[in-house]
Every structure is written in C-alpha cells, then in structure tokens.
Amino acid sequence: MKTVKWSARRAAAVGVALLFAALAYLVYRQDFIPLGTGEQRVRAIVDYASADPEDTDSLRAVLHPVVEFDETIRDRRILVFSDSEIEGLLGEIQFRRGVLGGWQPLSASYAVGPVIRSASVRDRDIRVVYAVDCPPEIAHYKVQADLRNPGSLMAEGDVTGPRFFHVHETDKDYFPALWLFDARGEQLDAADYLAVDQDYPSPGIGSAEINAVYVFCFIVLGLGWLVVKYLWGEKPEKKE
C-alpha cells in the first residue's frame, strides 16, 4: 500500500512539472511570437505599432501594413512595411530571436513622406537604409552627422533601383542625418525627398525591460521546482 502511495506522489510530481513548464512556455510565447506566415507578420506590426481604430487621441496611425522586406541579420529581424490605405507611409519594426524560438518586438517607427529611411539596429553596431519607391534621380546616399566632418560618416551606398534594403556595419551612432545625391554627385534638396507629412503621426516606439519575460519564466519554473521537490521527496514513515 505504501508503494502505491509513493508512486502516486511521484506521478503527481511529474504532472506538476509538466504543468509549470507549460505555464513558463506560455509566458515566454506572450513576448516571443511566431512570424512564419504573412498573416502573423502583419498581425505583429498591428499589435505593436498601430493605434486602436476607436482611439481618436492616439499618437499613432491606424495601420493596414503591407510587408515590403523581411530581413534577418543574425539574431535580429526587421520588417519594412508600407500601408495599403495611407499613401507614402514607410516604416520598420525590429525583433530579436528568443532562446526558444519566436521573435520579440524591440522597436518600430514609421512616417509619411520620406522616400528613403535609415535606422540603427537596437543594441547592435548595424545601420540599415531602405526604400520602397525611391525616385530615379536619387543615385547615392550618405548617413552622416555632418558632411564637413568625414569622421561622422555612418553609412553610404549607391541606389540602383526604386526598392532596396542595405545593411551597414558601423560602430558610430551620431545624429542620423540622411544626405541624397544625384548621378553627378550633386546634393539634392532633402526637403523634396525626406520631409515628413505632419498631418500623419510619425511615432518612435520602443520596448523597455525586454528581459523581464525571462525573469518571469524563471520565477514560474522556480515555483514549480519547489512543488515538485516536495512531492518527489519521500515522506518519513510515522512511528507506531
């Protein structure tokens, strides 16, 4: 009879272990989401960066995203998107890969107007420059704080088509001024190509405490370990 009771306790311990492991994974999946399908990618942009259609006071736009680029750079992933209903909107959302898979949103930004955009990859020495409908007269760009100071150059590249996504390794992160040039090397007026339409929101969105989800998972697993340890341990026999 004692053997049956002992087996029941251990069976309960296994069940509790599985339950707490599942709870920890559910907590993890709240932050690290799948991006395997087009629908999942669009949903991720809307959930993280869009305004609620019923919130008329939001500092964000109501988005209807169209994913233009989906780029993975080691443990980072960037979705560049336009909008099916807001003409001229262009932006990006950044993610990092989790230890158990999935992608956690880190930041997002978008605006209406600029034909080329530049962004630094969070916590990495990487800068990206991208466009979806770049005018043909733009042949070259520089991301540089001050054209008179060559040391402030962060990235530069040639524009060979209307759509591009360029990745630049750089440890510099000055004020990210973007300078545009034509095929003759003449500087183009930034106001004609980079001006932001103030009639639409242009938010910069960022996540704080991005490692908190791991802390919560460890707490759940720690509680589970304590319960399992209690159930797994052999109870001392009562003396008659």
Side-chain angles (χ1 to χ4, degrees):
M1 195 68 180
K2 290 181 180 178
T3 302
V4 174
K5 187 175 180 181
W6 173 247
S7 298
R9 284 172 58 82
R10 291 209 165 182
V14 172
V16 168
L18 293 175
L19 175 62
F20 275 88
L23 288 175
Y25 187 70
L26 287 175
V27 171
Y28 173 86
R29 275 300 185 188
Q30 292 300 308
D31 269 38
F32 291 93
I33 58 178
L35 295 175
T37 67
E39 182 179 354
Q40 289 171 337
R41 291 188 283 272
V42 168
R43 174 52 53 189
I45 297 170
V46 171
D47 288 345
Y48 188 74
S50 178
D52 187 325
E54 298 180 359
D55 184 0
T56 58
D57 296 324
S58 177
L59 298 178
R60 304 181 185 185
V62 178
L63 298 176
H64 310 84
V66 177
V67 177
E68 303 286 355
F69 296 101
D70 180 359
E71 302 289 340
T72 300
I73 309 169
R74 296 189 287 277
D75 65 338
R76 294 293 192 266
R77 189 166 176 176
I78 301 175
L79 303 182
V80 172
F81 60 92
S82 59
D83 195 278
S84 62
E85 297 191 15
I86 304 176
E87 185 178 358
L89 185 142
L90 185 63
E92 101 281 335
I93 179 171
Q94 300 184 19
F95 302 85
R96 70 167 178 169
R97 183 186 288 113
V99 296
L100 298 177
W103 299 90
Q104 181 188 46
L106 298 176
S107 63
S109 67
Y110 52 88
V112 175
V115 297
I116 297 180
R117 286 178 59 89
S118 168
S120 61
V121 177
R122 180 165 169 172
D123 301 326
R124 295 292 181 269
D125 292 334
I126 297 172
R127 177 163 290 277
V128 297
V129 182
Y130 57 87
V132 171
D133 189 17
C134 186
E137 61 269 27
I138 300 176
H140 192 78
Y141 65 80
K142 290 184 179 181
V143 184
Q144 189 167 350
D146 185 350
L147 283 179
R148 298 168 296 182
N149 180 5
S152 67
L153 178 67
M154 290 168 274
E156 69 174 314
D158 293 326
V159 177
T160 57
R163 293 174 56 87
F164 64 85
F165 183 95
H166 294 169
V167 179
H168 301 274
E169 299 275 355
T170 177
D171 58 358
K172 300 175 182 177
D173 192 17
Y174 306 120
F175 183 77
L178 190 57
W179 310 86
L180 306 177
F181 305 87
D182 63 18
R184 297 174 298 176
E186 298 292 330
Q187 185 178 340
L188 298 171
D189 189 348
D192 294 336
Y193 302 97
L194 302 176
V196 174
D197 189 338
Q198 299 299 327
D199 290 335
Y200 295 90
S202 53
I205 305 162
S207 297
E209 304 298 335
I210 58 176
N211 291 317
V213 60
Y214 289 124
V215 175
F216 292 145
C217 288
F218 281 124
I219 290 173
V220 172
L221 292 174
L223 292 173
W225 180 80
L226 290 175
V227 177
V228 169
K229 182 180 179 183
Y230 169 76
L231 292 173
W232 195 265
E234 183 177 2
K235 279 188 173 182
E237 296 183 4
K238 293 183 179 180
K239 294 183 180 180
E240 297 292 339

